Structures are given as C-alpha cells and as structure tokens.
Amino acid sequence: MDEWVRNFARLLQPAIVESLRALTSSATSEVTGVGVYTDDMGSSLVAGANERRFYENLIAEDPGYDAYYRFYIGDWALFSSDLAPDPLEEANARLAAEWTAVRNQNAETGRLSRAVWDATMTAMLALKAQGFFTRWPQAVVVFQPIDASISDMEVNDWVRSLNSATHAAEYSAWAANPLS
C-alpha cells in the first residue's frame, strides 16, 4: 500500500495545483481557504476554495459560526467538481477503479480509505514544502474527509501541519467547540 500512496500522491499534486489555480482565478475577493475534501470513504476527491465575500455573507446570515465557515470546506464557495473539465477527473477515475476492485474482491475497505487519505496528505504536504500555498497568505489550508471516522487528534495534526501556528490554533479552538 505504501507504493500506492506514493504513486497516487504524485498523480494528485499537479491535479490539486491545477484545481486550486483555476478556482482561485475565478474568486471575486481575497481567498480565505484552499483545500481538498473526500467523502467518508475516500472514494472521490474535490478541491475547494473560499473567498472573503462569500465567507462574510455566510457569517452575516449565521453569526457566531466564523470558525466553522472558515474551516468547513463543504460550505465554501468554489469547487473543482464545477470546473469543466475537473482537474481531479483522472484521480477520481482511478479511485473508482480501485473501489470497484476492492468491492469485487470483497476486501476490507478501510485500508483503501486510509491510503487515499495518506496520499492526499502526502500531496498536500509536498505542495506546502514547495511553497505552493504561500500565494494565499491569509487562507487556511484544509484536507477534510467529510463525515469520516477519523480521530480529532489526527485531523488537528493535519491542520497543524498544513497551516501557520495562528490558523492551527484557531482550528484547535474551534474543534474543541465545533458548534461555534
């Protein structure tokens, strides 16, 4: 599985770059968040970006949930799945084939989910090391398997490794009280 993670991470890196560049080029205000999310199984990937105007409108409509709207990628403004073509299409096609193979073999699915999450974090950390995310200095960087059974500690580690100390502390405070 380690080799699969490395290979998939190499496939993801340019797709994430292309997705985030395309999304942020269409932003109408400052970019406040960039990242990638999966469903709870890791069977598909979507890149997302948020922009200041959209974020502030959400807060105006629902005061008191600043951190939620800052970090929860599912409520952001822009998604790669809305791009034509979606730069993550090849990666998602590969995931579909992997998931079909796992199901046909009646294999345990948790290993593949974990491999997808590890590969995505590997790709995101490589992009951070290359300085890719510095083009959005005010933005949080998020990898989020939405509704997945992942420990809060692991998600905190991901956020901490992808963000500045300030953004990581903001996330940790929100995660301790996620209804705010």
Side-chain angles (χ1 to χ4, degrees):
M1 218 24 120
D2 289 345
E3 184 175 338
W4 188 94
V5 167
R6 285 189 298 277
N7 289 335
F8 196 65
R10 280 193 291 275
L11 173 69
L12 283 179
Q13 282 183 45
I16 292 170
V17 166
E18 188 178 340
S19 294
L20 294 178
R21 283 184 178 157
L23 293 173
T24 59
S25 71
S26 67
T28 60
S29 61
E30 175 190 21
V31 174
T32 60
V34 293
V36 175
Y37 74 90
T38 70
D39 59 351
D40 63 333
M41 295 289 293
S43 65
S44 65
L45 296 158
V46 178
N50 207 6
E51 54 185 336
R52 171 105 18 231
R53 187 173 295 128
F54 187 84
Y55 170 69
E56 288 175 350
N57 286 339
L58 288 173
I59 293 169
E61 292 173 11
D62 199 6
Y65 291 90
D66 301 26
Y68 171 83
Y69 289 123
R70 183 154 174 77
F71 288 99
Y72 188 72
I73 196 170
D75 283 328
W76 286 3
L78 308 164
F79 300 101
S80 62
S81 54
D82 295 328
L83 298 172
D86 179 352
L88 287 165
E89 188 174 317
E90 180 182 349
N92 283 326
R94 181 158 174 205
L95 285 178
E98 294 287 342
W99 278 101
T100 297
V102 165
R103 287 182 186 112
N104 287 343
Q105 297 167 7
N106 292 321
E108 196 271 316
T109 59
R111 285 190 52 181
L112 181 54
S113 296
R114 172 52 56 187
V116 172
W117 301 330
D118 290 348
T120 305
M121 273 305 293
T122 298
M124 300 275 293
L125 289 169
L127 292 173
K128 180 185 179 186
Q130 296 164 15
F132 176 68
F133 299 117
T134 60
R135 67 192 70 221
W136 307 289
Q138 302 305 315
V140 296
V141 181
V142 176
F143 168 55
Q144 197 168 60
I146 295 177
D147 295 330
S149 297
I150 298 173
S151 74
D152 292 340
M153 184 176 4
E154 184 169 15
V155 175
N156 271 314
D157 288 345
W158 290 346
V159 171
R160 190 173 26 264
S161 65
L162 291 171
N163 287 279
S164 68
T166 302
H167 288 151
E170 182 183 354
Y171 179 83
S172 292
W174 170 64
N177 185 16
L179 297 177
S180 64

